[in-house]
Amino acid sequence: MTSRPPLAAEQLRSHRWFGVRDLRSFGHRSRAKQIGFGEQDYEGKPVIAIVNTWSEINPCHTHFRERAEDVKRGVWQAGGFPLEIPAMSLSEPFQKPTTMLYRNLLAMEVEELLRSYPVDGAVLMGGCDKTTPGLIMGATSMGLPGIFLPAGPMLSGRWRGAVLGSGTDVWKYWARKRAGDLGDDDWSEIEDGIARSPGHCMTMGTASTMTAAAEALGLTLPGASSIPAAFSGHPRMAAATGRRIVEMVWSDLRPSALLTRAAFENAITVVMALGGSTNSIIHLIAMAGRAGIDITLEDFDAASRKVPVLADVRPSGRHLMDDFYDAGGLPALMAELGDLLDGTVLTANGHTLADNIAGATAHDGEVIRSRDRAVFEEGSLAVLRGSLAPDGCVIKASAASPHLMKHSGAAVVFDGYDDLDARIDADDLDVDENSVLVLRGTGPVGGPGMPEWGMLPIPRRLLERGVTDMVRISDARMSGTSYGTCVLHVAPESFVGGPLALIRDGDVIDLDVAGRRLDVRLEPEELERRRAEWRPPAPHYTRGYGSVFAERITQADKGCDFDFLAGSGAPEPAIH
Ligand code: FES
């Protein structure tokens, strides 16, 4: 347990609102009474903000209304005063052009909610893709004791006896439908069966990857991230999280004590062992930036060279998250990683990571592999550089085709999604299975928001001939549930003049994953000549949030945070 001396009630941050006896506290206390809370409810107690990203339009958080009540139960039990404070919900399926456009807005909202209200500690309720990094980035910058409550994965899908995984099987069956071997009725039945309970995507997509990363960082209770949303263990975990945050406040256990460089290295190791989402690279760099820690693409590549993929979960493997939970969940996987993790780091329950995973074992060696039976010997995410990506790009090698890991082909270039959509299936598109599909104008500024368009569709003509994968390159992201030989996050992006902007149809592109290279066979003089001709596109936004986003967003290799949000701290509000 932590050895910090417990705080006195007068040292609580909320004491400034409720404890002092002046005109302002009269207002706070009388208004608390207006809500229905008397002094017995809050006097001398830590005020716990339950930052809830529930929304009727977010299917992954459908259960969060009830879960907030479970958290409150725990907070009351431990002698705290819970207050549910909603924050914007980033609903991956519905929010356009992409939730990534709003991750930083959620982070700003969370930071300022916690700063401006009488809060001593926070439970952060998230799970759907960008909600996890958004909540953690904001809470880290504010710096109050905080604990993350993961939404948990939904139950696996079913269709005529087949197991369906979120996203992954959508792409698979959509390709079959486009190739003509799946009918409308089949497609409709798949629509009925693929999302059958509350919870986030149950493949190893961005949600499962990021909630696991939060647990590896020490920001959840042990094992919390793997519990399916519909299981009875989930509300019990929620209540335990509520109890624990009260203790964290009394012992003043803040993110700065948990979010060390070693903790981030553990999270990177876990992402690799999970065969996790490429999106986690961007998010973890941004989250580390809030904690004042410089994590770079090279940290990911170094981990990828030494960490085996142990989770046999789609899209890199075969199983789904409820199988992963039944097999022992993240504690079992982390126990299997052994000396690849730093077990000395402190976690939210006040114990070290090593204490938390002591005795954890995998109950099903097919789902959580031992290190001598890894799904892949090396980590799944490789970082590439070269003349086409001077500041780096990434590929999820574990979900790509081995025969395309070293490939050269002629570029077929698309300028944005509309162009792609209009021409990809055209009969006169000059493309074959050796071509390299290039999509540009889809980065952080160009997208805008770097949408998940990086898994470009295979041209129908090639699909019908049985081609299932090709080399695809973009400055976009890709859903963590996607697969294929997709080179992503090319930096700098084309919209701001990165080399991708200069590529033309027919230019030969060389991909060499083992050599960590992505190059175009053009002389530097030719690239310079084209650069002199290049004109920046007109901005998407001339006002509002979008214009701030475009002006202040950093590139993918820097985490796509706003440049003015790195780090933490700001003056405490005056209570007048
Ligand atoms: Fe919410 Fe996938 S849609 S996690």
Side-chain angles (χ1 to χ4, degrees), residues 58-61 90-94 127-130 154 166-167 199-203 205-208 479 481:
N58 192 334
C60 306
H61 296 180
L90 309 181
S91 177
E92 198 65 28
F94 292 105
C128 189
D129 285 23
K130 316 303 180 289
M154 71 176 95
S166 312
H200 61 66
C201 291
M202 73 327 232
T203 39
T206 304
S208 300
S479 165
T481 64

Side-chain angles (χ1 to χ4, degrees), residues 230-269:
F231 283 15
S232 61
H234 200 271
R236 284 184 273 122
M237 177 273 290
T241 299
R243 288 192 292 273
R244 177 58 196 159
I245 185 61
V246 178
E247 296 170 355
M248 289 174 73
V249 170
W250 286 126
S251 57
D252 203 23
L253 182 54
R254 294 171 184 259
S256 53
L258 307 179
L259 297 179
T260 58
R261 182 170 182 88
F264 277 99
E265 288 175 353
N266 283 345
I268 294 170
T269 298

